Amino acid sequence: MTKQETELRHQMVRLCKSLFDRGFSVGSAGNVSAKLPDGILMTPTNSTLGSLEADRISKVDTSGKHVSGDRPSKEVFLHQAFYETRPQAGAVVHLHSTWATALSCLADTDPDDCIPPLTPYVVMRVGRVKLLPYVKPGDPKMGDMIRDLKGDFSAALLANHGPVVSGKDLFSAVCAAEELEETAKLLIALEGRKTRLLTPDQVTELNNTFKGL
């Protein structure tokens, strides 16, 4: 095992525990992955993000074959779809966090822009978010729907299920997932009230200033 892989396994343990301890994931919900030169590290099926063991984290090769650790999450194809369509992605975080999942259940959520530009940070860290139709957990159609986005979105909401967010590395993906969750909380808290969103010019300025950072 390379030094890079060992360090990434331990970072995954730390960051997943942080997500669990702060209520972004409960029970065995959610799964997290990170890309290596020779494959993907993935939280195991039925594991709890709060008590991962570095040596038992799953590893699949570039073709998706399980090569070490415990059996990977049944939603590994969801992560693979992001890596296939967004070469810049180094990690993917899928949560069942309360507020983003609540937003995914609302009938009037805009499917083409379900996280509007409420704050500069959601623009900088997440960008536009697509709401994808409901399919049962573990259905490979989820991967197909991510591929259909053609890499244009770094994050999506799975209807009645939860958010899935990619980032350039594991830390960035976790931060983006947290930002999406907190923005969903703000949106629901402000629901029914006249809300000031960032203007298109302000969004463009943020994208031009912080793109790639």
Side-chain angles (χ1 to χ4, degrees):
M1 187 181 300
T2 66
K3 180 181 179 182
Q4 179 187 7
E5 180 175 336
T6 299
E7 291 176 348
L8 191 55
R9 284 175 177 273
H10 287 283
Q11 183 187 34
M12 186 177 289
V13 169
R14 291 193 303 272
L15 291 177
C16 287
K17 186 176 189 305
S18 175
L19 287 170
F20 185 87
D21 288 348
R22 290 177 295 129
F24 289 94
S25 172
V26 297
S28 61
N31 36 78
V32 176
S33 70
K35 188 164 62 175
L36 288 165
D38 61 345
I40 300 168
L41 293 181
M42 181 92 197
T43 53
T45 188
N46 294 322
S47 61
T48 297
L49 296 189
S51 58
L52 295 176
E53 297 176 36
D55 291 342
R56 296 183 63 178
I57 290 173
S58 303
K59 183 177 181 180
V60 299
D61 65 18
T62 53
S63 68
K65 180 182 177 182
H66 180 208
V67 294
S68 67
D70 291 351
R71 188 160 55 93
S73 166
K74 64 181 178 293
E75 293 176 334
V76 62
F77 52 81
L78 179 63
H79 297 245
Q80 288 177 301
F82 267 106
Y83 296 127
E84 290 171 14
T85 56
R86 290 182 64 83
Q88 68 272 45
V92 176
V93 176
H94 169 43
L95 301 173
H96 301 171
S97 50
T98 302
W99 297 102
T101 302
L103 193 65
S104 80
C105 295
L106 294 178
D108 58 354
T109 297
D110 183 348
D112 293 318
D113 192 11
C114 53
I115 302 289
L118 191 62
T119 71
Y121 303 100
V122 77
V123 173
M124 294 156 52
R125 294 174 182 159
V126 183
R128 287 179 60 227
V129 179
K130 184 83 169 178
L131 177 66
L132 298 177
Y134 172 81
V135 295
K136 68 180 180 181
D139 191 325
K141 289 179 183 177
M142 275 195 278
D144 295 335
M145 290 191 296
I146 294 296
R147 290 185 186 91
D148 287 343
L149 299 179
K150 302 184 187 303
D152 292 337
F153 295 81
S154 67
L157 276 187
L158 309 176
N160 301 81
H161 187 157
V164 56
V165 183
S166 65
K168 65 180 181 180
D169 53 40
L170 184 56
F171 180 74
S172 298
V174 167
C175 288
E178 293 180 6
E179 193 66 48
L180 190 154
E181 171 68 4
E182 291 305 304
T183 305
K185 183 177 181 179
L186 287 173
L187 288 168
I188 293 175
L190 293 168
E191 191 174 20
R193 304 190 67 177
K194 189 174 181 179
T195 304
R196 180 178 57 252
L197 299 177
L198 299 183
T199 67
D201 286 346
Q202 289 168 334
V203 171
T204 297
E205 180 186 33
L206 288 167
N207 286 331
N208 289 340
T209 302
F210 296 102
K211 185 177 181 179
L213 298 182

